[in-house]
Amino acid sequence: MPDPPFPQDEEVSPSNPFLEEEEASRRDATTLERALDMLMVTTSRRCPHMFNITNTRGKVAKFCIFKTVYRLGEDVIGTFNFSEGDIPCLQYSVSLQSEEEIQQQYQRRPGQPVSVAGHGRHLESCLHTASSHFSLPIPLNVTPGFSTEIVALKWRLHFEFVTAREPMEPPTVLQNQSEVTVWAGAEHVDVDTFSWNLPIKVLPTNPALASYMSQFTGTNSINI
């Protein structure tokens, strides 16, 4: 890690007796403290990312995610706006997945596929829904993303959508209607399915939080 920048020179910087101890402690900060500061700054930045979800028939929804860099233990939160879509969406699912890819020269066999593991899934029916959201927690006991000359571990959000091929009118309710109305869905609907992957970054977390997982016993094995 690079040394923390101090733009002001000690000789020309203003003297403040209340800040002398704070500045001294900053200069004497350990590598771990500086790493935690960089981690907090990197994962605390929020900038909404907007995506138009479309297929070959038209626009399905608008998706918004507030950031793409997370720490272990954080929640991945996203929102959907189906009111701007032209194609009815019947159902969607979002999965938190990790991808483990072995470099070609270290693969057991040529063309070895990428190993994908799921760590959480949100499934929701959304016909005639104007907006929706999901929240997927990143477990504390998983491995953050990394890359070496042998293997690379990456993270992503895997989306699956089920859309109708024809427009579907919502049920109509009269304003002066006093009786209870029961609406039954169509027995047969022609649908299309498609998927989409959104890469995200998962970084380590504060060791004090990760230490909570040490209270649980477990067994792991590696076969070589």
Side-chain angles (χ1 to χ4, degrees):
M1 287 189 309
D3 293 331
F6 294 93
Q8 291 184 335
D9 187 78
E10 292 182 355
E11 298 181 357
V12 298
S13 61
S15 177
N16 189 331
F18 299 99
L19 298 179
E20 290 180 357
E21 295 183 0
E22 180 180 352
E23 291 295 333
S25 62
R26 287 180 57 196
R27 293 178 182 276
D28 296 337
T30 64
T31 304
L32 176 60
E33 291 173 341
R34 288 191 284 119
L36 293 178
D37 289 341
M38 294 177 61
L39 177 66
M40 292 299 296
V41 171
T42 303
T43 57
S44 297
R45 294 171 181 167
R46 290 180 176 269
C47 180
H49 297 74
M50 309 295 294
F51 301 90
N52 288 322
I53 310 298
T54 62
N55 62 5
T56 57
R57 299 180 182 275
K59 183 176 179 180
V60 177
K62 177 179 287 186
F63 173 67
C64 175
I65 191 171
F66 300 101
K67 62 178 185 176
T68 56
V69 182
Y70 300 88
R71 301 188 305 272
L72 295 180
E74 279 194 295
D75 293 337
V76 181
I77 300 175
T79 62
F80 291 96
N81 184 354
F82 296 102
S83 62
E84 300 182 8
D86 303 321
I87 308 301
C89 185
L90 306 180
Q91 180 179 281
Y92 76 89
S93 67
V94 186
S95 301
L96 178 64
Q97 298 179 343
S98 60
E99 300 176 294
E100 183 179 295
E101 182 177 6
I102 308 297
Q103 301 300 330
Q104 184 175 0
Q105 59 269 31
Y106 296 100
Q107 294 180 358
R108 292 184 177 181
R109 58 186 182 277
Q112 181 176 346
V114 176
S115 177
V116 179
H119 303 276
R121 185 169 183 254
H122 176 89
L123 176 66
E124 185 171 330
S125 299
C126 54
L127 179 61
H128 304 315
T129 299
S131 61
S132 179
H133 73 280
F134 68 89
S135 178
L136 289 173
I138 303 176
L140 281 170
N141 60 342
V142 298
T143 304
F146 69 92
S147 178
T148 68
E149 62 180 9
I150 300 177
V151 61
L153 182 70
K154 301 178 181 179
W155 287 81
R156 72 183 186 184
L157 294 176
H158 178 72
F159 298 81
E160 294 181 356
F161 298 91
V162 180
T163 59
R165 295 182 179 180
E166 300 294 337
M168 301 186 65
E169 296 296 332
T172 57
V173 179
L174 302 178
Q175 295 182 354
N176 299 328
Q177 187 173 359
S178 59
E179 298 181 358
V180 177
T181 301
V182 178
W183 178 73
E187 296 181 358
H188 177 76
V189 178
D190 293 329
V191 300
D192 294 319
T193 59
F194 66 98
S195 60
W196 172 52
N197 294 320
L198 175 64
I200 62 174
K201 290 184 178 181
V202 176
L203 304 181
T205 188
N206 192 316
L209 297 177
S211 64
Y212 290 122
M213 297 304 300
S214 64
Q215 302 175 4
F216 303 94
T217 59
T219 303
N220 299 292
S221 62
I222 300 177
N223 297 324
I224 300 178

